[in-house]
């Protein structure tokens, strides 16, 4: 918003225009309650969005749900493998943030990594298991090994 050189009213318009249905309702409520002070409304909206949707627990829950709901893949559709690799890369990126490192440590465990591995086509899953498991990671699955196998 700063780069766009917008004032508070313009920021409010942009925020409410591009939010999803649930978050948009929060923003509109705060905007109405602070109609006399758009700068305060913008600040309160960002605080609410961060508290409601940006907490480590909410982000972890959302990503966990995306993994669990990600269908098992066949060899026919390579695009789906890229989608799974993108999801793994997103988790890896978030995990690097100190704010999220503790709650995302789950994805360093075999249980967390297995969530990804079980979504792979059978032949890739078997290949990953024989090359990444134990030989490169001292007997433990790691998300970086999964990410490497998905991208490789």
């Amino acid at each position: 918003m700063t780069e766009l050189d917008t004032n508070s009213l313009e920021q409010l318009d942009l925020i409410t225009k591009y939010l999803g249905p649930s978050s948009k309702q929060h923003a509109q409520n705060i905007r109405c309650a602070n109609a006399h002070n758009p700068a305060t409304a913008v600040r309160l909206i960002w605080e609410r969005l961060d508290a409601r949707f940006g907490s480590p627990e909410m982000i972890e829950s959302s990503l966990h749900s995306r993994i669990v709901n990600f269908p098992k893949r066949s060899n026919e559709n390579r695009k789906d493998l890229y989608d799974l690799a993108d999801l793994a890369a997103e988790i890896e990126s978030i995990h690097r943030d100190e704010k999220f490192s503790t709650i995302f440590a789950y994805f360093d465990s075999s249980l967390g990594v297995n969530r990804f591995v079980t979504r792979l086509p059978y032949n890739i899953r078997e290949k990953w298991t024989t090359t990444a498991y134990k030989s490169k990671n001292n007997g433990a699955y790691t998300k970086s090994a999964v990410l490497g196998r998905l991208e490789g």
Side-chain angles (χ1 to χ4, degrees), residues 10-24:
E10 293 168 326
Q11 289 179 27
L12 285 171
D13 288 340
L14 289 169
I15 290 170
T16 54
K17 180 178 180 179
Y18 291 106
L19 288 175
S22 176
S23 52
K24 186 177 199 168

Side-chain angles (χ1 to χ4, degrees), residues 25-70:
Q25 187 61 50
H26 288 286
Q28 288 173 331
N29 292 343
I30 293 170
R31 184 179 186 167
C32 289
N34 294 281
H36 63 285
N37 192 342
T40 299
V42 169
R43 182 181 53 80
L44 291 173
I45 288 170
W46 283 117
E47 287 174 6
R48 170 76 59 87
L49 292 174
D50 189 47
R52 177 70 178 92
F53 302 103
S55 71
E57 295 79 13
M58 290 297 295
I59 293 171
E60 189 276 334
S61 176
S62 172
L63 289 169
H64 179 75
S65 175
R66 286 173 53 197
I67 295 167
V68 169
N69 294 322
F70 200 93

Side-chain angles (χ1 to χ4, degrees), residues 67 84 87-88 91 107 111-120 143 146 150:
I67 295 167
L84 186 60
L87 181 56
I91 290 171
F107 292 105
L111 185 60
V113 173
N114 275 331
R115 298 265 188 225
F116 283 97
V117 174
T118 59
R119 301 304 185 250
L120 295 170
K143 67 182 172 311
V146 171
L150 288 174

Side-chain angles (χ1 to χ4, degrees), residues 62-141:
S62 172
L63 289 169
H64 179 75
S65 175
R66 286 173 53 197
I67 295 167
V68 169
N69 294 322
F70 200 93
K72 292 182 180 182
R73 297 299 175 196
S74 65
N75 289 329
E76 292 87 42
N77 195 346
R78 301 290 274 170
K79 180 200 169 292
D80 293 339
L81 292 176
Y82 284 112
D83 292 341
L84 186 60
D86 291 344
L87 181 56
E90 184 178 347
I91 290 171
E92 178 72 22
S93 176
I94 292 169
H95 187 291
R96 288 185 192 129
D97 186 331
E98 190 174 304
K99 177 180 173 183
F100 301 102
S101 62
T102 302
I103 197 162
F104 277 76
Y106 159 81
F107 292 105
D108 286 330
S109 72
S110 60
L111 185 60
V113 173
N114 275 331
R115 298 265 188 225
F116 283 97
V117 174
T118 59
R119 301 304 185 250
L120 295 170
Y122 178 78
N123 66 329
I124 296 174
R125 184 174 53 237
E126 289 300 309
K127 188 175 181 181
W128 182 87
T129 301
T130 58
T131 60
Y133 184 64
K134 294 191 178 183
S135 64
K136 294 184 181 179
N137 302 300
N138 298 325
Y141 287 126

